Amino acid sequence: MSPLIVLVGPMGVGKSTVGQLLAERLGTGYRDTDDDIVAAQGRTIAEIFVEEGESAFRAIEKQAVRAALDGHDGVLALGGGAILDPDTRALLAGHRVVYLAMDVEEAVKRTGLNAARPLLAINPRKQWRELMEARRHLYEEVATAVVATDGRTPEEVTRAALDALELKEA
């Protein structure tokens, strides 16, 4: 069992929204590893960060991604930082991976870069830029296709992802 499509990209890019639309269009299931983590841990991602720190969260995330890659055959969305782990990047090889990309101004519009995002709590614009400088090449490394989301509706992004992967709707 292997996902039909894996979505990666920064927080707030629309992985959940586009993932659900893709699953509907393809007649398959949708799964989000962040949701898996919250369900398994019984607390929010922000709470895990605050209570245990980022490294503990990343270890939990790594296991959640591995389980989802092995146990889901629909559309799978990964948390924004999942690609930081080299083992996770290696596991993504051979999968159809779509990197949903956006610039900082779009990120501000979409997320408000608010405190609910633990990695963006202080100076959100600067933090977001630094996160993207550290991660952009990793998203690109694992991507089969890159789809820009700036100024596009979720439906337009969904269509662009299907076109980029040459997949037909169910």
Side-chain angles (χ1 to χ4, degrees):
M1 188 178 294
S2 180
L4 187 57
I5 300 172
V6 180
L7 297 176
V8 299
M11 59 191 87
V13 76
K15 296 182 297 283
S16 297
T17 302
V18 170
Q20 291 169 14
L21 287 170
L22 282 167
E24 284 175 25
R25 300 272 179 354
L26 295 168
T28 191
Y30 169 75
R31 184 168 174 180
D32 183 317
T33 57
D34 281 352
D35 293 342
D36 291 351
I37 292 166
V38 169
Q41 295 290 312
R43 55 196 168 143
T44 68
I45 299 217
E47 289 169 334
I48 298 168
F49 263 81
V50 169
E51 294 166 11
E52 297 186 42
E54 184 176 1
S55 62
F57 171 76
R58 295 295 174 208
I60 294 166
E61 180 177 54
K62 179 178 178 175
Q63 294 310 311
V65 170
R66 178 181 294 277
L69 287 171
D70 289 341
H72 183 67
D73 61 359
V75 177
L76 177 64
L78 304 188
I83 47 79
L84 293 171
D85 182 76
D87 294 334
T88 296
R89 291 194 308 277
L91 287 174
L92 290 171
H95 289 280
R96 282 187 193 110
V97 179
V98 176
Y99 163 32
L100 298 180
M102 71 177 169
D103 70 19
V104 70
E105 295 313 315
E106 188 78 7
V108 170
K109 279 190 263 180
R110 290 190 191 181
T111 67
L113 297 179
N114 60 37
R117 309 283 186 173
L119 291 178
L120 300 178
I122 301 167
N123 195 347
R125 280 178 196 259
K126 179 175 181 275
Q127 300 272 135
W128 195 87
R129 279 192 185 97
E130 288 174 1
L131 280 175
M132 285 309 298
E133 285 172 20
R135 295 178 180 181
R136 184 173 290 109
H137 71 285
L138 299 175
Y139 292 132
E140 291 169 350
E141 175 187 319
V142 301
T144 308
V146 178
V147 175
T149 64
D150 301 302
R152 287 175 148 173
T153 67
E155 292 76 15
E156 290 168 332
V157 174
T158 300
R159 168 58 37 217
L162 289 170
D163 290 347
L165 296 174
E166 299 179 355
L167 290 173
K168 303 275 187 242
E169 294 185 34

